[in-house]
């Protein structure tokens, strides 16, 4: 029986298979890279808010503690947002006629809350509890970044599963004394030593337990 295909067909088929494999690998790499970009994660992106609230001014400039506005952060999964009355504790006296703060004054007059745009917006299938992280010595800056340097709030980290798991595998890298959780300027001399000590002192669970699916997906 005569040969149906030319010998060069064997070479062509091999080249095609290798080319397809390289193409799929390259496409996978491109998609994974895009998945980590701010375009997808929102990292570093400043979102439009009803009022251009500056953490840099209020935290670094005025020294206001995180808990003054985020009152439930130590006892609830949700850190909480301040009611308009909290803002007006100061702004009935300071910048009381500023056009920039008119939405705040309107909120108080109409008894309608300000419609803030959520910056750190986790997927609905992810469970995150602020209170347990605070109780175990994880500082605000570990997730939210140095908010005292942010004129406008932005998402400091990727907040993807890979990022969360890295912390849960190595919690000692982010632990600090409980009385320093809200201190944006706290810097340890030896984070590794402090973290190792607090792992035991605060009874942090093992990485196996911390990376269990049910820890974050309930």
């Amino acid at each position: 029986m005569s040969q149906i295909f030319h010998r060069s067909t064997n070479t062509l088929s091999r080249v095609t298979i290798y080319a397809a494999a390289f193409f799929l690998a390259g496409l996978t790499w491109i998609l994974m890279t895009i998945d980590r970009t701010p375009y997808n994660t929102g990292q570093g992106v400043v979102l439009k808010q009803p009022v251009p609230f500056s953490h840099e001014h209020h935290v670094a400039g005025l020294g206001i503690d995180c808990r003054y506005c985020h009152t439930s952060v130590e006892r609830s999964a949700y850190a909480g947002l301040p009611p308009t009355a909290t803002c007006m504790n100061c702004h009935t006296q300071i910048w009381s006629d500023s056009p920039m703060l008119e939405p705040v004054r309107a909120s108080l007059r109409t008894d309608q809350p300000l419609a803030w745009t959520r910056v750190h917006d986790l997927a609905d299938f992810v469970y995150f509890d602020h209170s347990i992280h605070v109780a175990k010595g994880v500082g605000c800056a570990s997730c939210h970044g140095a908010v005292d340097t942010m004129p406008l709030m932005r998402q400091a980290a990727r907040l993807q599963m890979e990022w969360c798991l890295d912390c849960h595998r190595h919690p000692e890298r982010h632990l600090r004394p409980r009385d320093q959780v809200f201190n944006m300027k706290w810097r340890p001399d030896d984070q590794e030593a402090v973290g190792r000590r607090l792992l035991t002192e605060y009874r942090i669970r093992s990485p196996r337990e911390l990376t269990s699916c049910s820890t974050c997906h309930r």
Side-chain angles (χ1 to χ4, degrees), residues 137 139 141 173-177 179-191 194-195 197-198:
R173 298 175 181 174
H174 302 278
L175 299 181
R176 59 176 68 191
D179 62 358
Q180 299 298 329
V181 165
F182 303 100
N183 182 359
M184 290 291 157
K185 299 300 184 184
W186 185 79
R187 298 291 185 275
D189 293 329
D190 187 346
Q191 177 62 54
V194 172
R197 175 175 60 82
L198 295 178

Side-chain angles (χ1 to χ4, degrees), residues 4-20:
I4 299 176
F5 298 103
H6 191 272
R7 287 175 177 271
S8 61
T9 305
N10 293 330
T11 301
L12 180 61
S13 63
R14 293 191 185 98
V15 170
T16 302
I17 292 172
Y18 284 127

Side-chain angles (χ1 to χ4, degrees), residues 25-191:
L27 181 61
T28 300
W29 179 81
I30 291 172
L31 292 176
M32 289 178 66
T33 301
I34 293 174
D35 183 56
R36 288 170 168 79
T37 62
Y39 175 81
N40 181 57
T41 65
Q43 184 180 14
V45 178
V46 174
L47 302 176
K48 186 177 181 180
Q49 302 288 358
V51 177
F53 181 86
S54 171
H55 279 80
E56 180 182 45
H57 172 68
H58 289 81
V59 177
L62 301 178
I64 296 177
D65 188 277
C66 304
R67 291 162 290 187
Y68 182 74
C69 295
H70 305 292
T71 56
S72 60
V73 69
E74 295 178 288
R75 61 180 186 276
S76 171
Y78 181 55
L81 286 173
T84 304
T86 300
C87 306
M88 295 304 289
N89 285 340
C90 295
H91 288 297
T92 53
Q93 308 298 321
I94 304 170
W95 287 19
S96 56
D97 296 322
S98 169
M100 183 174 64
L101 296 180
E102 175 54 28
V104 180
R105 295 191 292 272
S107 172
L108 188 68
R109 286 196 305 269
T110 61
D111 197 28
Q112 294 296 317
L114 288 165
W116 297 102
T117 301
R118 185 184 291 270
V119 175
H120 297 81
D121 191 11
L122 296 177
D124 292 341
F125 53 80
V126 176
Y127 175 77
F128 180 87
D129 189 327
H130 278 86
S131 64
I132 190 61
H133 287 80
V134 170
K136 296 299 182 180
V138 179
C140 302
S142 292
C143 298
H144 296 292
V147 299
D148 59 323
T149 65
M150 297 182 188
L152 295 175
M153 190 63 187
R154 63 182 183 274
Q155 181 182 310
R158 294 202 315 270
L159 302 184
Q160 292 180 307
M161 183 175 177
E162 177 186 26
W163 179 82
C164 298
L165 285 174
D166 182 63
C167 183
H168 280 209
R169 291 186 180 113
H170 309 284
E172 68 280 357
R173 298 175 181 174
H174 302 278
L175 299 181
R176 59 176 68 191
R178 291 190 180 106
D179 62 358
Q180 299 298 329
V181 165
F182 303 100
N183 182 359
M184 290 291 157
K185 299 300 184 184
W186 185 79
R187 298 291 185 275
D189 293 329
D190 187 346
Q191 177 62 54

